[in-house]
Amino acid sequence: KEAPRRPAVVSVLGHIDHGKTTLLDTIREARVANSEAGGITQSIGAYQIEWEGEEFTFIDTPGHKAFTSMRSRGAHATDIAILVVAADDGIMDQTREAISHIEAADIPLIVAINKIDKNNANPQETMNQLAREGFTPDDWGGDTIMVQVSALTGENVEELLDMLSLVAEMEAPTGDPEGELKGFIVESHLDAQMGPMATAVIQEGTLRPRDILVVGNTHGRVRSLSDESGQIEEAGPSKPVEIMGLKDVPPAGASIEAYDDLSEAKKLAQARKEKEKQQPQLGM
């Protein structure tokens, strides 16, 4: 049987000052405005929104490093990329870096030309620059979707979400909630009270509390799962979830696998740790 559709996973990339975070916040608000009051209680580095009856998972990666490390570990983590380019700045080095990541990941790209509210904004010039990089705007008969937005005022952000829906429909990503558990780490940190905390996105299968996991070179039994509105009982395909119960903090991009036996999981994690120690450290 065919695996069911799952929400598309979206990464937002671009130059550090071009408004990625503001755009993510505005998109989040577009969602929060039409959901129940109380909205967000915590930030977990990835979240889901619903738009016109369709769900999307946004990965709020702290810059390109996480995206690169996910890719280098072979996590086909993202279905669609949104490249944010500021209309007052145009293409910068980090923009080019983001473009090369997106091309290497071989995923569809939507360009959000941001900051059109600024006096010195020149979206036409930005489009010219993008065309010179090989991305001809769809308005000019090319095949790159470009939407001129203001993350600050919210102008055309809904149009951007409409375009995202279109691309997601064409991509039609699938994931089987009944399948073998697969997922990847988006970000992680050590919490003074709660120990290692890891934000993950599930790709296949369903994750539940008490599941035994091997994540990269660490392992553990899931003590609790949370999304941004609090504790949850399970996470299926494309669901972003914060995991508590791992022994160590795993790196971004590490893959998640489920095991039946805690001592077996521990052995595998130890073996991976040993192997990593023996490998010569590559220059970072």
Side-chain angles (χ1 to χ4, degrees):
K1 67 177 176 63
E2 268 188 40
R5 272 281 303 267
R6 60 173 174 77
V9 178
V10 184
S11 273
V12 180
L13 298 164
H15 185 71
I16 192 153
D17 297 326
H18 283 188
K20 288 186 307 205
T21 308
T22 313
L23 181 62
L24 280 159
D25 288 346
T26 307
I27 288 172
R28 207 180 226 166
E29 247 122 61
R31 188 278 321 251
V32 172
N34 58 32
S35 77
E36 71 287 7
I40 288 148
T41 52
Q42 56 180 340
S43 161
I44 69 161
Y47 59 90
Q48 275 186 330
I49 72 152
E50 194 179 302
W51 179 249
E52 306 286 344
E54 185 156 10
E55 281 192 307
F56 296 95
T57 298
F58 280 85
I59 295 184
D60 185 356
T61 49
H64 302 166
K65 209 167 100 223
F67 192 81
T68 318
S69 65
M70 284 180 212
R71 228 192 58 230
S72 69
R73 290 188 171 81
H76 182 72
T78 309
D79 301 305
I80 303 166
I82 294 178
L83 177 70
V84 180
V85 190
D88 60 340
D89 247 359
I91 289 183
M92 312 286 273
D93 285 345
Q94 270 185 317
T95 319
R96 287 199 178 85
E97 193 186 310
I99 287 171
S100 67
H101 290 326
I102 294 163
E103 287 183 321
D106 194 23
I107 52 176
L109 155 80
I110 297 172
V111 181
I113 298 176
N114 190 25
K115 303 195 183 186
I116 57 169
D117 54 284
K118 294 189 81 167
N119 291 335
N120 57 340
N122 190 344
Q124 285 301 319
E125 177 47 34
T126 305
M127 286 159 89
N128 284 330
Q129 291 179 4
L130 285 156
R132 286 198 289 273
E133 297 282 331
F135 299 98
T136 310
D138 52 351
D139 287 359
W140 301 356
D143 51 16
T144 305
I145 296 172
M146 296 190 190
V147 185
Q148 299 182 27
V149 301
S150 165
L152 204 60
T153 68
E155 188 182 348
N156 293 342
V157 169
E158 298 196 341
E159 190 191 326
L160 180 66
L161 291 172
D162 287 341
M163 289 299 153
L164 195 55
S165 294
L166 271 177
V167 176
E169 220 163 279
M170 285 171 3
E171 289 300 296
T174 60
D176 185 358
E178 307 291 319
E180 196 178 322
L181 186 73
K182 280 210 312 238
F184 62 91
I185 300 297
V186 175
E187 61 169 31
S188 53
H189 64 277
L190 189 60
D191 182 284
Q193 269 81 46
M194 302 194 284
M197 302 295 287
T199 298
V201 172
I202 303 306
Q203 292 163 301
E204 294 270 342
T206 302
L207 178 65
R208 297 181 177 89
R210 306 204 50 74
D211 281 354
I212 296 165
L213 301 182
V214 175
V215 182
N217 66 6
T218 184
H219 75 290
R221 188 191 287 274
V222 178
R223 286 218 298 277
S224 75
L225 297 174
S226 315
D227 65 7
E228 53 186 28
S229 38
Q231 283 205 16
I232 56 173
E233 283 310 304
E234 56 173 43
S238 292
K239 178 73 183 166
V241 62
E242 192 169 54
I243 301 170
M244 180 174 154
L246 295 173
K247 297 289 179 220
D248 298 297
V249 175
S255 61
I256 297 169
E257 303 145 278
Y259 283 81
D260 294 331
D261 183 84
L262 194 60
S263 58
E264 192 190 328
K266 185 178 178 175
K267 259 190 231 148
L268 181 63
Q270 292 301 145
R272 286 185 183 175
K273 226 173 232 157
E274 288 307 315
K275 199 174 162 195
E276 274 177 30
K277 274 187 197 146
Q278 286 155 17
Q279 282 174 345
Q281 288 300 306
L282 299 169
M284 286 305 277

